[in-house]
Amino acid sequence: MPPLLLSLRPSPSPCLRLRRLLLFRCSASSSATPSSSLAPYHASFDRRMALAGIHPHHRIAVGVSGGPDSMALCVLAAAWKKAAGRKAAGEEGSDASEFVDGLLGVVVDHGLRPESSDEARLVRDRVRGMGIECEIARCEWPDGHPKQGHVQEAAREVRYQKLLDICIKQQIGVLLIAHHSDDQAELFVLRLSRNSGILGLAGTAFVSQLFAPNLKYDGENFRRYGVLLVRPMLDFSKDDMYKICRGSNQSWVEDPTNNSMMYARNRIRASLRNLSTEGTFLSGVHKLISACRLARTCVDGTWSMIAKKSVSILEYGYAVIDLEKLDPLNVDDLCLLHYLAYILQFVSQRHRPLRGRSARLLLDYIRTIPCKAALTVAGCYLCAAPRSKGSKVLVCCSVDWMESSSAEISYKCSYEEWAPPVPEIDQIVLKGLLQSNQFIQNHSNIPFMYSKSSIDVLNKAKDLNIIDDFTLEKLCYLRTDEQNKFVAKEHKDEEHDMEETKFPDCNVLSLCPGETCHFMSRFLITWKAPEDVNEICLHENEEYLSKICNVNLDGSLEVRHMVDADWLFLAEVCNIHSVEENLSDPKVSSGKMQMDNAPHHYRYLQQSAQKALQTLKCIPAAARRTLPVLTNTQGDIVCIPSIGFRCCPSLSIQAVFYPRVPLGGGYSSYL
């Protein structure tokens, strides 16, 4: 679905503004479609919603740009809700309420042009005129606008964030987006030009799970919040969208930026439109996309089954792959790479696809049995698990990745209370997984499972008679043409980025009593306020408290990852001499770990270090380096909460491995 009028242009002339306003007010006029002909669209929409596990009683939001796609979606969603309401009430009359119950339209105003606010209000009023409650979400840009050359990508990211925020606040668990089959065809060609494999060529998911960037507080605990993103219009074409709007006498927006050839999607759209009249070209493309989606569904199901029996997730933030149970030599490349990508993305919380050289290195590494070497790839460090004789592989977060990204994905959590996550989401996901498993069992002949590139997919599709020679020729041409333009643009963007490179401030994550932070989006660290802690400091004297407990003067501690010197420090603490030895041996008393005037404190410190060291010995060295450590500004270690070390019983700090995004990235369906 194209974003709402996203062009970054100077303030237009009065004539241009008038032309845009006319474009914005275009509506169904002379060529209206009889409303009776909309019945097949309503029936198809009902089937797709049922397939997604979504029912009329669910609270639903609709992303609305004002274009024919989103307005058609509003028409069908409102009719679907109203029909269920009349059936439940046992009457055929109109609804008594002004707005459809449990349906909210959301218009995102990107604020990139002076007239965008007026346009957003116009769309909101039109949606309300359809009987759908609607609100506007306004974007705020740190620099006043997105980065030049990345407008569409930045606007899309912010748009989904705004939609997600409103859904969470309104306790809405389902977000409908108006992507249709022509959008899928455009995306297919775009990814062909980027040499995507079969997984990328499957396009956007029918249903996917979208998670908030930060954990939220439900009044008792911090939890993941998210919504189900559903695209129920994937069976419809762009022409169908116009027919639905005309048949319901509904006005829509024509976005003038959709005609700009500076954007790849627009160029591809124009090419596909020209080719749509050529024989079976477009139908062949859609058959090919359907075959790719079938393969994607199979791969998703396969990796999930393999993961259940071959991978273990440990409470200290790392994974262990059992190579004997995985049997990687007998798993095809596609499924194995998908399996490994999800494990690495989960451990690192770095959600980027594995491609090219990284993918080949990883496949070769995991198929070398027994495992003897180490590999750093995609934000993770892999090596043989201790005492496994190379039969198991340890996967932990790379220290280099942590040091380069800590400031970006570590944050303090807000104690603003939110209503609990919508419970229906888990129920819908469970039913969807059962449905996908049943679908896979009924389809044994899956195409493209051994295709290694986009060209392999096209040639295989021709061999299977999914596409004809003409379609193959034109797709290859479109792929090469757009690929050349992409390479040229990439070089230009690199030069522009080098000119405008800004190095971010290296902000240190700090924590105070009564606060919680999410370290690397992996460890949830909570420091209880003093009034909530039963145990007290062993020193009544505040001077001793600051010197020995090592808390900063402002009461805060800094959070970093563990380094090798930290467990040497624990071993040193374990060897603290007794009070008598301190008094009799001046050499000891001059050392760093002297007893000073606080023997009770050091006894506690020693016991805490001994227990922590015992726990640490059970954690592989590579995984230890990813554990959070709290220090003061002088660098003194105050607490290592994951293994229970703390310098004073009054410091009640806990750390739990709780990644922002679960293993597998959440639920998705390509049915």
Side-chain angles (χ1 to χ4, degrees), residues 69-90:
D69 309 346
S70 60
M71 298 307 280
L73 177 57
C74 286
V75 169
L76 298 182
W80 175 69
K81 279 265 191 181
K82 287 177 181 178
R86 288 193 297 267
K87 186 176 180 180

Side-chain angles (χ1 to χ4, degrees), residues 280-391:
T280 59
F281 174 80
L282 207 53
S283 63
V285 171
H286 289 309
K287 287 179 182 176
L288 178 50
I289 294 172
S290 295
C292 292
R293 294 173 76 80
L294 174 62
R296 175 70 190 249
T297 300
C298 179
V299 171
D300 283 346
T302 302
W303 96 261
S304 180
M305 288 187 287
I306 296 173
K308 287 178 181 177
K309 67 178 183 180
S310 63
V311 65
S312 302
I313 305 298
L314 283 298
E315 62 181 308
Y316 299 107
Y318 63 96
V320 176
I321 299 173
D322 190 320
L323 295 178
E324 293 178 353
K325 294 178 180 178
L326 174 61
D327 193 14
L329 296 175
N330 291 312
V331 180
D332 63 79
D333 288 0
L334 193 60
C335 291
L336 184 58
L337 190 60
H338 201 45
Y339 163 92
L340 293 170
Y342 274 144
I343 293 174
L344 268 60
Q345 287 169 357
F346 171 73
V347 170
S348 68
Q349 289 296 297
R350 177 182 183 266
H351 298 282
R352 300 176 188 172
L354 276 169
R355 295 194 182 110
R357 183 172 177 272
S358 295
R360 292 191 297 273
L361 278 172
L362 192 57
L363 287 174
D364 291 341
Y365 178 83
I366 209 71
R367 284 177 171 150
T368 304
I369 304 173
C371 174
K372 295 180 180 179
L375 175 68
T376 300
V377 63
C380 285
Y381 176 82
L382 290 78
C383 64
R387 297 178 295 279
S388 71
K389 297 182 179 179
S391 65

Side-chain angles (χ1 to χ4, degrees), residues 92-275:
E92 294 298 326
S94 60
D95 296 311
S97 60
E98 180 183 0
F99 295 117
V100 178
D101 185 44
L103 187 62
L104 175 69
V106 183
V107 181
V108 178
D109 174 14
H110 295 94
L112 299 178
R113 293 175 295 100
E115 60 269 30
S116 67
S117 296
D118 293 335
E119 294 166 351
R121 283 192 291 270
L122 178 60
V123 173
R124 178 198 61 192
D125 293 343
R126 285 180 176 176
V127 174
R128 285 179 173 175
M130 300 169 67
I132 301 174
E133 179 59 279
C134 187
E135 62 181 79
I136 298 172
R138 291 181 173 82
C139 299
E140 296 178 359
W141 302 97
D143 298 323
H145 57 79
K147 186 178 179 181
Q148 187 69 34
H150 301 275
V151 179
Q152 287 190 320
E153 296 90 339
R156 180 186 183 279
E157 184 176 337
V158 173
R159 178 168 63 254
Y160 276 103
Q161 185 55 56
K162 290 294 182 181
L163 292 169
L164 180 59
D165 287 345
I166 287 178
C167 287
I168 293 174
K169 287 178 181 177
Q170 300 276 7
Q171 280 196 289
I172 293 173
V174 179
L175 172 62
L176 303 186
I177 300 295
H179 289 135
H180 49 75
S181 61
D182 288 10
D183 290 325
Q184 290 284 58
E186 293 166 17
L187 183 59
F188 179 83
V189 174
L190 182 66
R191 290 185 174 174
L192 267 182
S193 69
R194 309 299 191 260
N195 202 32
S196 291
I198 187 65
L199 303 181
L201 296 177
T204 53
F206 166 45
V207 182
S208 56
Q209 210 164 353
L210 188 65
F211 293 97
N214 295 346
L215 301 181
K216 299 185 184 297
Y217 188 62
D218 68 359
E220 294 184 3
N221 300 296
F222 284 93
R223 300 171 63 178
R224 298 185 190 102
Y225 278 69
V227 297
L228 287 179
L229 199 65
V230 183
R231 300 175 174 89
M233 313 286 272
L234 292 179
D235 289 342
F236 302 153
S237 67
K238 184 73 172 185
D239 287 342
D240 291 327
M241 302 298 180
Y242 287 117
K243 290 177 182 177
I244 294 168
C245 287
R246 292 189 183 109
S248 56
N249 197 31
Q250 181 56 55
S251 301
W252 68 84
V253 172
E254 288 291 354
D255 183 352
T257 63
N258 284 341
N259 297 321
S260 171
M261 292 299 105
M262 68 181 291
Y263 299 122
R265 291 290 289 250
N266 294 352
R267 295 192 296 268
I268 293 170
R269 184 180 306 121
S271 298
L272 291 174
R273 191 183 302 121
N274 293 334
L275 289 167

